[in-house]
């Protein structure tokens, strides 16, 4: 886990009719490109334990599990991707 500047994503949503079309993957790719353009090389994400679609995206895009964080009074899984 890095300690420098980072971008954080807390919530991702797509309209029901767009689910399964790769919208979230495209969103993450754009966020990563924007971060790199600003010389920020870390993206951190938290999600609920039961959000299987988001957990699959984290795995697919190479995000590393970092442990648990407390957000808004609840426990969430935390992930980070170090950009190159």
């Amino acid at each position: 886990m890095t300690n420098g500047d980072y971008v954080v994503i807390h919530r991702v949503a797509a309209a029901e009719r767009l689910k399964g079309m790769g919208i979230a993957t495209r969103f993450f790719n754009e966020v990563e490109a924007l971060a790199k353009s600003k010389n920020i090389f870390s993206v951190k994400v938290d999600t609920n334990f039961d959000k299987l679609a988001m957990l699959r995206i984290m795995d697919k895009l190479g995000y590393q599990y970092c442990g648990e964080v407390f957000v808004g009074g609840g426990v969430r899984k935390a992930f980070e991707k170090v950009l190159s």
Side-chain angles (χ1 to χ4, degrees):
M1 199 150 87
T2 62
N3 293 316
D5 292 338
Y6 60 91
V7 172
V8 66
I9 299 171
H10 288 292
R11 206 171 287 265
V12 175
E16 191 65 38
R17 64 186 175 78
L18 300 176
K19 289 184 178 178
M21 297 177 66
I23 299 294
T25 298
R26 288 175 44 199
F27 171 76
F28 274 92
N29 289 336
E30 290 295 326
V31 168
E32 292 171 13
L34 179 61
K36 288 179 9 179
S37 78
K38 303 290 184 186
N39 291 315
I40 298 172
F41 296 96
S42 171
V43 178
K44 298 182 181 186
V45 179
D46 62 82
T47 190
N48 290 323
F49 289 80
D50 62 345
K51 300 297 183 190
L52 300 180
M54 182 61 75
L55 294 171
R56 281 192 299 272
I57 291 169
M58 296 293 93
D59 184 53
K60 173 183 168 183
L61 297 180
Y63 282 75
Q64 299 296 311
Y65 177 70
C66 299
E68 298 176 355
V69 293
F70 295 91
V71 178
V75 180
R76 293 173 170 251
K77 284 188 164 191
F79 295 86
E80 179 182 33
K81 183 173 183 179
V82 178
L83 308 173
S84 53

